[in-house]
Amino acid sequence: MRIALAVARQGSLSAAARALGTTQPTVGRRLEAFERRIGVKLFERDARGLTPTPLCAGLLEGLERMDEGALTVERRIAARDTGLQGSITVTSLDWFGDFVLAPILTRFGARHPLVTLTLINDDRRFNLSRREADLAFRPGSFDEEGLIERKVAEVSYGLYASPAYLERFGPPDFASGCAGQPIVALQERSPRSPLVRWLRGLAPEARGVLHTNSIWSQLAAAESGEVMAALPRVLGDRRPTLRRIDTLKAGLVLPIKLGVHADMRETPRVRAFIDFAVSELKLRAVELKPD
């Protein structure tokens, strides 16, 4: 039934396999075995993928309730009072996880050797309700039910270029919207994201040479001397190969929020890590948001 629900949600065997952490042949075999067992087809196959039959569609509400009930049980078992031992999975953006969280996780792990820590850096929004991760650090708000969020840091952004770029192209002309000047941009999922809107407001006429979903790619592109890039100041200010450009406007400041499911918040190892991470981020506050 869990596999049938995953196929209905995802629309294909391959997508369901990825969501379940297994393989497409395994999902296909188990779905066929289940259909033989109950004596009815649950999906119709067409060019778009797998579509639930009327019977399957009528079962989905009950399957969703069963799934949520099972997940609640799993979270409460995972949250049992086992002291400072067990596993914690943390997810974040690439640069923030690499540059900010990895040292914090390492220091916490050194103090609590019975806690197994996993850091996953990915722009995908992991589902904390389904325990794809225990904690998430990301800009913006969380929209999952049952989650608790809190702001733990603020990150300042600036516009950067190399000395070679500035010598070749000259300082950006913000009055003309940086017309024709080459730039690298972050490939955001939403064009309404604050970083996308800020950069478009600064340089609406700039020529996009590259779009990438990685801040590290943007930084490397800027260091090549061919483009400008919007970067977190905690990264850009410390690169001797880059110069921060005076944009004549207020810089961008994005809040970083921590999200955790309410069922997991008071688990001793999770609570201890949250308190430790918040304390460490306070010590880095000036570095993340310089005056």
Side-chain angles (χ1 to χ4, degrees):
M1 286 186 284
R2 184 167 177 247
I3 282 179
L5 178 59
V7 173
R9 283 171 170 166
Q10 304 297 328
S12 72
L13 297 179
S14 57
R18 287 193 296 272
L20 294 170
T22 184
T23 65
Q24 178 177 337
T26 298
V27 170
R29 285 195 303 269
R30 294 185 65 183
L31 180 60
E32 289 177 5
F34 183 47
E35 288 178 326
R36 286 196 302 270
R37 180 180 175 186
I38 62 178
V40 294
K41 289 186 66 175
L42 295 176
F43 296 92
E44 298 290 348
R45 289 164 174 79
D46 55 34
R48 295 173 298 175
L50 297 178
T51 302
T53 62
L55 172 63
C56 182
L59 298 175
L60 292 180
E61 183 179 350
L63 290 175
E64 292 281 4
R65 288 199 301 268
M66 291 173 65
D67 187 56
E68 182 53 40
L71 289 169
T72 299
V73 171
E74 288 182 5
R75 287 194 300 268
R76 290 179 180 172
I77 290 173
R80 67 194 184 281
D81 187 357
T82 56
L84 290 180
Q85 59 181 313
S87 64
I88 301 175
T89 299
V90 178
T91 179
S92 185
L93 302 175
D94 59 351
W95 77 267
F96 193 81
D98 289 342
F99 190 75
V100 179
L101 290 181
I104 292 175
L105 283 157
T106 301
R107 286 192 286 272
F108 182 81
R111 289 164 174 76
H112 304 289
L114 297 182
V115 178
T116 302
L117 298 162
T118 301
L119 174 61
I120 303 174
N121 295 326
D122 197 319
D123 64 351
R124 178 169 73 89
R125 287 183 170 253
F126 285 71
N127 190 319
L128 302 187
S129 299
R130 302 187 66 81
R131 293 212 64 221
E132 293 179 349
D134 298 306
L135 297 162
F137 292 80
R138 60 189 181 217
S141 297
F142 295 78
D143 53 10
E144 297 173 40
E145 291 186 6
L147 261 59
I148 296 171
E149 65 177 56
R150 63 182 291 186
K151 188 174 79 171
V152 294
E154 289 184 322
V155 175
S156 296
Y157 284 75
L159 187 64
Y160 292 85
S162 72
Y165 176 97
L166 295 173
E167 182 177 347
R168 179 180 174 188
F169 295 99
D173 181 6
F174 295 107
S176 68
C178 299
Q181 291 207 251
I183 196 168
V184 58
L186 189 64
Q187 185 67 48
E188 291 276 358
R189 291 186 174 184
S190 170
R192 297 186 299 275
S193 74
L195 183 54
V196 170
R197 286 189 281 110
W198 181 72
L199 189 56
R200 285 180 178 170
L202 282 178
E205 303 300 325
R207 178 168 58 89
V209 173
L210 171 67
H211 289 78
T212 173
N213 66 349
S214 167
I215 286 290
W216 295 118
S217 297
Q218 284 191 283
L219 191 151
E223 288 184 322
S224 75
E226 299 292 337
V227 291
M228 299 183 294
L231 301 169
R233 287 188 57 183
V234 68
L235 298 180
D237 283 0
R238 62 178 56 206
R239 305 294 285 203
T241 54
L242 295 176
R243 301 290 182 269
R244 182 161 50 88
I245 299 167
D246 185 358
T247 62
L248 308 178
K249 293 183 179 179
L252 176 69
V253 177
L254 291 182
I256 298 293
K257 294 186 178 181
L258 180 153
V260 60
H261 197 281
D263 290 345
M264 298 294 294
R265 179 179 53 167
E266 297 305 326
T267 307
R269 64 185 183 279
V270 174
R271 180 74 263 169
F273 176 73
I274 290 174
D275 292 343
F276 183 81
V278 169
S279 176
E280 291 282 302
L281 288 168
K282 284 182 178 177
L283 294 177
R284 299 197 64 174
V286 174
E287 185 183 3
L288 292 169
K289 187 192 173 187
D291 293 333

